Amino acid sequence: DVIGVAMDLTLRVMYFSKNGVWINGSNPEMGVGGFAMGGISGTIFHPAVTISGSDTRTSNFGSIRFFYLVPRGFQSGVYQ
C-alpha cells in the first residue's frame, strides 16, 4: 500500500490517502475534511512511522517522483 500525506500549514489540517484515495472523503484540493492539527505550533515537523514484524516502509519526501499526483495547491518535498 502507498500512504500519502498532505499538510496545509495555513489551515493546520492534515490529509491522508491510501493508494491514491483520500481517506474519509477528504479532499485537500477543495479544503474538505482532513484532520485538525490542534495544539501544534510552529512550522518544523518530524515524521514518525510505526511498523511491526516483517513490515517494511520506504519514505519519499520529494527526492524522486511520487507514485500518485501531489494535490493542486500543495508542494512536494521538505522545506526549511
Side-chain angles (χ1 to χ4, degrees):
D1 290 324
V2 176
I3 304 300
V5 179
M7 295 174 65
D8 185 325
L9 297 179
T10 302
L11 298 177
R12 311 302 276 184
V13 177
M14 292 181 74
Y15 302 89
F16 297 90
S17 66
K18 180 177 178 183
N19 298 325
V21 177
W22 294 103
I23 294 176
N24 293 334
S26 63
N27 184 333
E29 292 181 3
M30 303 292 288
V32 174
F35 299 89
M37 297 167 51
I40 299 173
S41 62
T43 57
I44 299 174
F45 298 93
H46 303 275
V49 177
T50 302
I51 60 175
S52 64
S54 62
D55 293 345
T56 61
R57 64 123 188 104
T58 301
S59 298
N60 178 4
F61 294 99
S63 62
I64 59 173
R65 186 174 172 269
F66 288 111
F67 196 80
Y68 296 101
L69 295 176
V70 174
R72 282 190 312 261
F74 287 78
Q75 297 177 343
S76 64
V78 177
Y79 301 92
Q80 296 184 5

